[in-house]
Amino acid sequence: MASSTTAFGSGVSTTALGLSSLKPSPTVGVATIIFPKPRRSSAMVVRVEGQTINPEIRKTEEKVVDSVVVTELSKPLTAYCRCWRSGTFPLCDGGHVKHNKATGDNVGPLLLKKQ
């Protein structure tokens, strides 16, 4: 690594990225990043648009939905998001429908059913 002041050769200052503690790893010769403690709790949303979320699992099915029967649930049915597109994450809001149409993917929710 040329310098610890540049983030992976991108010309972006590690200090600007909050990575002032970037140090080379002696074992593999790559950088080890130690992130500073957050000042307050925050949420991070990660989205990769235009790519499938499910590249290989049960691709012959129109939509992959799994159901699990659980004895202790407050509701008879709860749908959990597996596409990371839900506005009510971790609960499913149907955001996978738009994603599936745009990408040809077949991801669907995880359904928890009360026994």
Side-chain angles (χ1 to χ4, degrees), residues 9-71:
S10 65
V12 178
S13 164
T14 56
T15 305
L17 295 174
L19 305 175
S20 58
S21 57
L22 188 66
K23 297 181 175 114
S25 170
T27 56
V28 290
V30 296
T32 302
I33 301 171
I34 302 169
F35 290 98
K37 291 182 181 177
R39 294 184 184 136
R40 59 183 117 137
S41 65
S42 60
M44 180 179 8
V45 177
V46 177
R47 293 183 188 258
V48 178
E49 299 297 330
Q51 294 181 353
T52 61
I53 295 168
N54 177 20
E56 60 189 50
I57 299 171
R58 296 174 9 213
K59 293 306 279 186
T60 57
E61 296 179 28
E62 183 178 337
K63 181 169 59 173
V64 177
V65 179
D66 293 308
S67 298
V68 177
V69 177
V70 182
T71 56

Side-chain angles (χ1 to χ4, degrees), residues 60-101:
T60 57
E61 296 179 28
E62 183 178 337
K63 181 169 59 173
V64 177
V65 179
D66 293 308
S67 298
V68 177
V69 177
V70 182
T71 56
E72 297 181 19
L73 282 177
S74 59
K75 296 179 182 178
L77 179 68
T78 305
Y80 285 92
C81 176
R82 292 193 296 189
C83 72
W84 298 89
R85 302 294 189 266
S86 175
T88 59
F89 192 85
L91 301 176
C92 177
D93 69 354
H96 59 272
V97 174
K98 181 179 176 185
H99 165 78
N100 288 348
K101 285 182 183 177

